[in-house]
Amino acid sequence: MCRMSALAATALAFALGSSPALAFPFGKSADKAEAGDKAPATAAPAPRKASAQERAQVARLDPLARAAFWAHETQLDASDAEAGIKLSQALRQMGNYGDALQAAERALIVAPNDVEALLEVARSQIGRGQGFYAIDPARRAEKLAPRDWRIPSLLGVAYEQADRYDEALAAHRQALALAPDNPVALGNLGMFYASRGDTAKAEATLRQAAARPDAPIAVRQNLALVVGLSGRIDEAERLARQDLPPEMVENNLAWLRSAQAPAPAPSAASARSWESLRTP
């Protein structure tokens, strides 16, 4: 049974025709049964943690359902670092950065050397616009996993928010040295160029990232953002419609048209207005 249906399991059993065991011996009616003949009441089974298979299935759910699932798992076992990390991820994807940070920090108490917990703390701080406070956990993660390209890519974004641009560029380049042609690392470098006003480099780098078959939606939409802010609204619209529903496209286009074109470059705040974030 799917774990998400656990609360309705009993009612579902009756609905499907699974009758409860008889409470009385044959030949006695309910109103004549003696108290001693009744079957002893059984206690409700104690809640159990989800199996590995059930946890894997949850990954296909939307962020809200995942957040509910993993919150339940953390209630069953506060020392479950995996549940805390997954809860933080789901909350962050919903935009609840403060709650995501708290969940990640609780997981970090349980597992202080867990790279994923450290990265979730850093990502949540960046989501809150507090990149300075993402630097320390990301550096700690880097010491534990020096070959993981995600960490310098994340550090690059954190350094940008802290206005430490030389370090940001070096970190983005380090990420690409570890993972050449990775679309996320390329996309983050492209948005760094955009934030510094170099729209030509930003567009070229984002086009390189978007051409990769495994490029995420955020890369293509950030390319649309840069193209639109360069004044090419029609091309930005074509790019946006590849991945977004019509109402979101219209909102984004209205935002672009309200900006004075050509704009110098999108800041971190303007990228969030476009509803696409870098995803290290």
Side-chain angles (χ1 to χ4, degrees):
M1 179 186 297
C2 175
R3 185 63 190 279
M4 300 305 293
S5 303
L7 295 179
T10 303
L12 182 60
F14 286 108
L16 294 178
S18 300
S19 300
L22 290 174
F24 304 100
F26 292 111
K28 290 187 178 182
S29 64
D31 57 341
K32 294 182 181 179
E34 296 178 2
D37 292 331
K38 292 182 180 180
T42 57
R48 66 172 180 84
K49 293 175 66 174
S51 66
Q53 181 180 5
E54 290 167 336
R55 290 187 171 209
Q57 291 172 343
V58 170
R60 298 195 293 267
L61 301 179
D62 61 82
L64 180 60
R66 283 189 281 114
F69 176 90
W70 291 114
H72 179 68
E73 292 295 292
T74 59
Q75 289 171 357
L76 291 178
D77 183 2
S79 66
D80 189 336
E82 180 196 21
I85 293 166
K86 297 292 187 181
L87 174 60
S88 178
Q89 291 172 349
L91 290 168
R92 177 172 53 81
Q93 290 168 2
M94 294 165 58
N96 295 341
Y97 299 115
D99 291 339
L101 177 61
Q102 291 181 12
E105 288 177 333
R106 287 194 295 268
L108 202 56
I109 292 172
V110 175
N113 292 323
D114 191 295
V115 170
E116 298 303 323
L118 287 164
L119 291 182
E120 278 306 309
V121 170
R123 291 185 183 112
S124 298
Q125 292 286 18
I126 288 173
R128 298 170 66 227
Q130 299 292 325
F132 174 81
Y133 299 102
I135 294 172
D136 179 67
R139 281 177 168 172
R140 288 165 58 191
E142 190 171 35
K143 290 180 181 178
L144 295 166
R147 302 298 301 171
D148 190 335
W149 68 268
R150 298 175 303 163
I151 302 173
S153 189
L154 186 64
L155 268 170
V157 180
Y159 284 134
E160 288 178 58
Q161 287 191 351
D163 297 332
R164 293 160 61 170
Y165 299 112
D166 290 343
E167 291 167 283
L169 180 57
H172 286 308
R173 287 174 172 168
Q174 181 186 354
L176 281 171
L178 291 171
D181 297 324
N182 182 282
V184 174
L186 279 167
N188 285 345
L189 176 60
M191 292 306 289
F192 167 80
Y193 288 136
S195 72
R196 303 305 296 150
D198 194 338
T199 54
K201 276 188 178 180
E203 182 177 340
T205 306
L206 286 166
R207 285 193 185 280
Q208 182 182 352
R212 301 288 300 175
D214 53 342
I217 289 174
V219 167
R220 293 189 293 272
Q221 294 309 308
N222 281 334
L223 173 60
L225 170 64
V226 170
V227 168
L229 288 174
S230 298
R232 307 197 305 277
I233 302 295
D234 291 344
E235 184 180 356
E237 179 178 0
R238 289 194 297 273
L239 290 166
R241 291 196 186 280
Q242 292 179 14
D243 301 297
L244 302 181
E247 61 274 13
M248 189 176 291
V249 172
E250 293 305 321
N251 288 338
N252 289 345
L253 292 175
W255 181 87
L256 279 173
R257 292 187 181 105
S258 69
Q260 293 183 356
S267 63
S270 66
R272 286 192 291 273
S273 299
W274 181 256
E275 299 186 37
S276 58
L277 287 173
R278 287 166 281 194
T279 53

